[in-house]
Amino acid sequence: MSRRRQIYEGKAKILYEGPEPGTIIQYFKDDATAFNAQKKGTINGKGVINNRISEHVFTRLSTIGIPTHFIRRLNMREQLVRQVEIIPLEVVVRNVVAGSLATRVGLPEGEQLPHTLIEYYLKSDELGDPMVAEEHIACFNWASHEEMQDIAAMAIRINDFMCGMFSAIDIRLVDFKLEFGRIYDGDYSRVILADEISPDNCRLWDFTTGEKLDKDRFRRDMGGEEEAYQEVARRLGLLQDDGNPGEVLDMSAHRSRLRGAAPKPKK
Ligand code: UDP
């Protein structure tokens, strides 16, 4: 394969120039960081699993009409996505008190919120991703009023869908982080879902036991992070019995096999 131009290396992913203009390849690494990269490590096989989980979630979300950057998975660690202009916000959606919210408001982790909360953080490693209000977003022109309306509406729909998807496999969706980007069509631009959705940026607790199945295992030195990520993929039906995210349960391969085998429609 010809050498590809690297566009950016982040904490968990590398972005390469895609094969066509307007596309990018997202490469999922095993590297894990926490506390604004003060804690660094690796979670074996994380990149392969997150690539697969994120593909699954983005594909499901597109079936309910959420526009996303996902085009297709290329291989175990890479997916082809649309190039977007990233909106410099981390959009956090919360159903249950945990993490920085527990600290900020002094409530115990695990308390169910009376309604879903959406919070915005400025994407800035130098500043440590400070929380910002919609007033700041408008004042500093990070996103327009219309874009924020679209983002909030999409965040709520994504949350409703994901709560259902995870509760069906006995997982409580505590909170998660989203990122959005703009795509341009002439003078017109619209907002689509970008980045990834995986146990790296969701809090996922087993409904029955409360066991954490996400990156908090790494952040809090609990151990068992590889098994936790695998467990999420397994419950989503994305792993073979041997624990490999192989092609047997690759639904796109499965569907094309079905299409190939389908009887010809009657004339
Ligand atoms: N999150 C993330 N990236 C960040 C900060 C948070 O993906 O830079 C996710 C995190 O995994 C959790 C949610 O956003 O699911 C809320 O995180 P919180 O604000 O509680 O921060 P944390 O306690 O993780 O520092």
Side-chain angles (χ1 to χ4, degrees):
M1 190 192 273
S2 62
R3 257 183 88 78
R4 296 169 308 188
R5 196 170 71 84
Q6 183 174 316
I7 298 173
Y8 174 78
E9 176 156 9
K11 291 170 218 156
K13 293 191 289 292
I14 306 175
L15 303 182
Y16 297 99
E17 212 168 58
E20 299 115 37
T23 64
I24 279 195
I25 294 169
Q26 281 198 145
Y27 176 95
F28 287 74
K29 300 192 283 185
D30 285 350
D31 297 352
T33 63
F35 315 118
N36 203 16
Q38 285 170 44
K39 179 179 162 82
K40 289 194 175 118
T42 55
I43 303 174
N44 268 334
K46 169 173 88 78
V48 174
I49 288 188
N50 282 357
N51 185 21
R52 199 68 189 79
I53 292 178
S54 199
E55 170 195 19
H56 179 77
V57 177
F58 274 63
T59 306
R60 300 284 308 270
L61 287 172
S62 70
T63 66
I64 61 152
I66 301 290
T68 84
H69 73 162
F70 181 80
I71 301 173
R72 65 177 180 276
R73 184 163 62 87
L74 297 172
N75 54 50
M76 298 281 268
R77 284 188 185 268
E78 293 178 330
Q79 50 182 243
L80 186 67
V81 300
R82 295 186 68 167
Q83 184 163 29
V84 298
E85 179 182 280
I86 278 285
I87 294 173
L89 297 173
E90 302 205 336
V91 178
V92 169
V93 183
R94 300 181 185 272
N95 300 302
V96 178
V97 175
S100 70
L101 178 65
T103 315
R104 195 174 331 113
V105 298
L107 283 173
E109 282 203 314
E111 197 157 306
Q112 186 73 36
L113 291 165
H115 63 82
T116 301
L117 275 179
I118 305 185
E119 298 172 342
Y120 303 104
Y121 295 82
L122 180 63
K123 250 174 89 69
S124 164
D125 287 341
E126 305 88 77
L127 302 176
D129 297 347
M131 191 175 176
V132 292
E134 285 190 63
E135 305 279 295
H136 299 104
I137 298 169
C139 183
F140 297 108
N141 211 20
W142 294 319
S144 71
H145 177 67
E146 292 71 30
E147 286 174 335
M148 290 311 292
Q149 281 185 324
D150 287 350
I151 286 174
M154 279 193 263
I156 292 293
R157 290 196 68 211
I158 293 168
N159 182 54
D160 285 348
F161 184 82
M162 289 202 344
C163 277
M165 185 183 78
F166 281 116
S167 73
I169 53 171
D170 203 32
I171 289 177
R172 189 179 189 196
L173 179 61
V174 171
D175 56 31
F176 58 98
K177 186 259 299 184
L178 300 172
E179 293 188 23
F180 293 89
R182 291 181 192 100
I183 49 169
Y184 288 91
D185 186 1
D187 286 345
Y188 176 78
S189 82
R190 67 187 182 111
V191 176
I192 66 173
L193 181 67
D195 194 44
E196 68 173 284
I197 297 181
S198 72
D200 264 9
N201 45 36
C202 300
R203 282 199 172 91
L204 303 169
W205 297 354
D206 184 285
F207 245 118
T208 315
T209 64
E211 192 189 0
K212 295 187 197 309
L213 300 171
D214 56 57
K215 201 167 122 182
D216 271 349
R217 301 199 76 88
F218 169 78
R219 292 191 190 99
R220 303 180 187 189
D221 293 321
M222 298 168 73
E225 40 273 67
E226 284 164 41
E227 294 76 10
Y229 280 58
Q230 273 184 23
E231 179 62 16
V232 175
R234 193 189 62 75
R235 289 194 200 181
L236 286 169
L238 307 174
L239 284 193
Q240 296 172 13
D241 290 342
D242 61 7
N244 285 316
E247 296 303 315
V248 169
L249 285 173
D250 181 325
M251 289 315 285
S252 56
H254 181 61
R255 272 193 296 273
S256 42
R257 268 200 302 277
L258 281 179
R259 270 199 299 276
K264 289 209 175 77
K266 289 200 181 92
K267 287 211 174 108

